[in-house]
């Protein structure tokens, strides 16, 4: 790898990460029992978290009204939710035939501090070697996501063409003021690098090593390189032949360790060898490449349906499916954290959960509060707060305040995920704020400045590269105006 003399800045380490969702005016009221055992009214609408923003929408169940804050949620008393089957096409608002309740956002109360760390879950010991490279990380992250969709659009037929293409991407990032890139290296049970565990991705051509090139060119420009993986999502069912000779191929067909959901395979974290594969996959990257960290987003459980993991649940000692799934996600995140640190103690591990805090509990089975407030899970939290200031359901500042409160409890750096992909679009889920992304010409720059005021502020990250540098013609002029304001805010 090319090395360059750079000032290495350590990002604070403690525990967590990101997520976001879009909300709508159309609501279907449902009376359920919430995680505190109290009656609450919920509304069913669509999400637009990071995973969803790259083309894989999931349904969600969100609180509309409740008698108390959800900031003290613990998964041990979660009641099962009404199952919502995800689709692979964008969801549309559900128009209620009953009277709906208008949400009046309230800044959440600060949750009580955790008095002592719970015992970490049992996780497999993965050892694939040690990398003594000193990771390049910044105390204030100015980041951007580069997804598989964007990599797929680059010239990649030869090593030379790919190097030139990714160099142009990085040059644009540096010019904007970016210091950290979050780049997909495994999006669908594949590898954008030389791997013994996963097949080469279909999204890039040639036979060279893409990751080696991406790291070299990033470090040449002083960019921290965070390797972004989707740990549970596998390939499309029609692509399973590409997995021949690798673990996912051997597990396909029995619907236990590898389960089909809407045309895609998903790994089931209920099994030890699945957790081991995921952890070993992260360790393989960190041990063999000079990455500065491993990053995951909001792809946890793809469904609330019981059939996804019923066999494993029935064989477990758990009496609650929700508790069972929360424990599995705890093991997954803890195993990834340990695998990264064992391979390179200076590399970071972080999570980007849904920006709507409650969705992580009601749908994803992701105990983000535990991960943020206890050691052994995360180095930072990066919620996808893809909401406008005037969003009637999740106003940006209220959402930011809730995440800041959680991060503050564990001393966890809060890196705020922002959504410039919304610039120029109507947000039909935002109620009275539906036109904000069309009328406010400096909304992302304003959100950067607002985020800087958070107590736990550790930086920002933009989703995504193409939305800023390859916008559609219909929003190009507005994006260009935003870029000028954003460049000023980042520099």
């Amino acid at each position: 790898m090319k090395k360059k003399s750079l000032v290495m800045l350590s990002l604070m380490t403690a525990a967590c990460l990101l997520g976001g969702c879009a909300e709508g005016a159309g609501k279907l009221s449902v009376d359920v029992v919430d995680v505190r055992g109290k009656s609450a009214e919920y509304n069913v609408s669509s999400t637009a978290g990071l995973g969803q923003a790259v083309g894989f929408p999931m349904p969600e169940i969100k609180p509309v009204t409740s008698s108390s804050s959800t900031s003290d949620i613990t998964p041990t008393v979660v009641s099962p939710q009404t199952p919502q089957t995800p689709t692979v096409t964008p969801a549309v608002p559900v128009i209620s035939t009953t009277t709906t309740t208008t949400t009046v956002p309230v800044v959440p109360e600060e949750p009580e501090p955790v008095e002592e760390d719970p015992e970490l879950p049992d996780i497999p010991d993965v050892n694939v070697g040690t990398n003594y490279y000193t990771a390049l990380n910044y105390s204030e992250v100015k980041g951007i996501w580069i997804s598989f969709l964007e990599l797929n659009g680059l010239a990649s037929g030869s090593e030379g063409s790919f190097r030139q293409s990714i160099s142009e991407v990085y040059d644009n990032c540096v010019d904007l003021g970016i210091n950290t890139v979050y780049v997909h290296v495994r999006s669908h049970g594949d590898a954008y690098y030389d791997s013994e565990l996963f097949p080469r991705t279909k999204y890039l051509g040639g036979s060279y090593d893409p990751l080696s090139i991406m790291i070299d060119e990033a470090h040449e420009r002083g960019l921290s390189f965070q390797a972004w993986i989707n740990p549970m999502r596998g390939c499309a069912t029609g692509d399973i032949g590409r997995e021949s000779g690798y673990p996912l191929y051997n597990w396909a067909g029995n619907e236990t360790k590898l389960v089909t959901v809407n045309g895609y395979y998903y790994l089931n974290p209920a099994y030890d060898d699945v957790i081991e594969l995921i952890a070993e996959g992260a360790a393989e990257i960190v041990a063999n490449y000079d990455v500065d960290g491993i990053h995951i987003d909001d792809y946890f459980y793809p469904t609330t349906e019981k059939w996804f993991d019923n066999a494993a649940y029935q064989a477990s000692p758990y009496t609650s499916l929700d508790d069972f799934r929360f424990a599995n996600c705890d093991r997954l995140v803890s195993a990834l954290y340990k695998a990264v640190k064992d391979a390179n103690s200076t590399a970071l591990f972080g999570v980007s959960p849904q920006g709507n805090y409650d969705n992580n509990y009601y749908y994803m089975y992701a105990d983000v509060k535990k991960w943020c407030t206890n050691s052994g899970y995360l180095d930072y939290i990066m919620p996808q707060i893809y909401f406008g200031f005037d969003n009637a359901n999740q106003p940006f500042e209220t959402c930011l305040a809730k995440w800041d409160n959680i991060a503050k409890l564990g001393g966890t750096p809060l890196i705020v995920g922002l959504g410039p992909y919304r610039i120029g679009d109507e947000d039909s889920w935002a109620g009275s704020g539906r036109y904000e992304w069309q009328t406010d010409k400096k909304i992302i720059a304003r959100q950067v400045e607002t985020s800087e005021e958070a107590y736990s502020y550790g930086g920002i990250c933009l989703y995504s590269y193409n939305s800023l540098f390859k916008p559609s013609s219909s929003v190009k002029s507005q994006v260009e105006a935003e870029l000028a304001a954003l460049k000023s805010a980042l520099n």
Side-chain angles (χ1 to χ4, degrees), residues 12 52 63 67-68 113 123 128 160 168-169 182 194 227 256 292 308 313 323 332 367 412 429 472:
M12 299 163 59
Q52 289 72 39
S67 58
S68 65
I123 54 177
V128 298
E168 291 173 358
V169 168
Y182 296 81
D194 292 338
T256 54
D292 301 298
F308 181 83
Y313 170 58
D323 291 348
L332 170 65
D367 191 355
T412 302
W429 300 100
S472 65

Side-chain angles (χ1 to χ4, degrees), residues 27-104:
K27 305 178 181 72
L28 174 62
S29 298
V30 183
D31 189 39
V32 299
V33 177
D34 73 5
V35 295
R36 296 169 301 281
K38 301 177 180 179
S39 179
E41 183 182 291
Y42 288 81
N43 96 59
V44 179
S45 70
S46 73
T47 64
L50 181 57
Q52 289 72 39
V54 295
F56 298 89
M58 295 180 181
E60 63 181 271
I61 300 177
K62 297 190 282 290
V64 175
T65 58
S66 179
S67 58
S68 65
S69 169
T70 58
S71 59
D72 59 349
I73 290 175
T74 54
T76 55
V77 292
V78 176
S79 299
Q81 307 304 307
T82 303
Q84 302 295 316
T85 303
T87 63
V88 292
T89 56
V92 296
V94 178
I95 306 301
S96 177
T97 57
T98 62
T99 302
T100 60
T101 305
T102 301
T103 300
V104 180

Side-chain angles (χ1 to χ4, degrees), residues 32-234:
V32 299
V33 177
D34 73 5
V35 295
R36 296 169 301 281
K38 301 177 180 179
S39 179
E41 183 182 291
Y42 288 81
N43 96 59
V44 179
S45 70
S46 73
T47 64
L50 181 57
Q52 289 72 39
V54 295
F56 298 89
M58 295 180 181
E60 63 181 271
I61 300 177
K62 297 190 282 290
V64 175
T65 58
S66 179
S67 58
S68 65
S69 169
T70 58
S71 59
D72 59 349
I73 290 175
T74 54
T76 55
V77 292
V78 176
S79 299
Q81 307 304 307
T82 303
Q84 302 295 316
T85 303
T87 63
V88 292
T89 56
V92 296
V94 178
I95 306 301
S96 177
T97 57
T98 62
T99 302
T100 60
T101 305
T102 301
T103 300
V104 180
V106 178
V107 176
E109 298 177 0
E110 182 171 331
E112 293 297 321
V114 176
E115 296 182 357
E116 60 181 44
D117 290 0
E119 183 178 351
L120 287 173
D122 291 332
I123 54 177
D125 188 20
V126 174
N127 185 6
V128 298
T130 303
N131 187 343
Y132 295 100
Y133 158 73
T134 301
L136 166 64
N137 286 298
Y138 293 94
S139 57
E140 181 182 9
V141 170
K142 299 174 183 179
I144 195 165
W145 280 287
I146 301 172
S147 77
F148 74 93
L149 293 175
E150 288 148 325
L151 293 176
N152 186 37
L154 300 180
S156 61
S158 68
E159 179 175 343
S161 63
F162 182 69
R163 187 179 293 274
Q164 180 177 347
S165 296
I166 199 66
S167 294
E168 291 173 358
V169 168
Y170 290 160
D171 286 343
N172 287 335
C173 292
V174 171
D175 183 64
L176 180 61
I178 296 298
N179 63 20
T180 305
V181 290
Y182 296 81
V183 186
H184 249 146
V185 300
R186 183 163 77 250
S187 59
H188 297 84
D190 51 2
Y192 295 62
Y193 53 93
D194 292 338
S195 175
E196 296 181 358
L197 303 172
F198 301 96
R200 182 182 174 86
T201 182
K202 70 176 184 179
Y203 295 109
L204 293 176
S207 58
Y208 54 90
D209 186 342
L211 181 53
S212 179
I213 294 171
M214 291 193 289
I215 294 171
D216 284 350
E217 296 300 330
H219 288 167
E220 190 71 23
R221 292 161 175 78
L223 292 169
S224 174
F225 186 95
Q226 306 294 320
W228 171 15
I229 66 174
N230 292 110
M232 288 175 60
R233 186 175 66 192

Side-chain angles (χ1 to χ4, degrees), residues 267-343:
L267 286 163
N268 181 354
Y271 296 94
D272 289 344
D273 41 2
V274 170
I275 296 290
E276 184 174 358
L277 172 66
I278 292 171
E280 188 176 352
E284 181 184 49
I285 296 169
V286 179
N288 295 328
Y289 293 89
D290 291 349
V291 299
D292 301 298
I294 295 290
H295 176 79
I296 67 173
D297 57 41
D298 56 337
Y299 267 90
F300 293 102
Y301 276 89
T303 180
T304 58
E305 295 283 0
K306 294 180 180 180
W307 50 256
F308 181 83
D309 52 359
N310 188 57
Y313 170 58
Q314 294 298 331
S316 78
Y318 286 86
T319 57
S320 161
L321 179 61
D322 294 310
D323 291 348
F324 175 68
R325 289 178 172 176
F326 276 112
N328 291 335
C329 285
D330 286 349
R331 292 181 66 230
L332 170 65
V333 171
S334 181
L336 281 166
Y337 178 87
K338 184 178 185 299
V340 170
K341 298 302 181 181
D342 286 349

Side-chain angles (χ1 to χ4, degrees), residues 385 395-405 414 416 450-451 454:
I385 309 181
F396 179 80
E397 289 174 289
T398 301
C399 193
L400 175 63
K402 176 172 283 191
W403 282 105
D404 194 24
N405 286 339
L414 173 65
V416 183
T450 302
S451 299

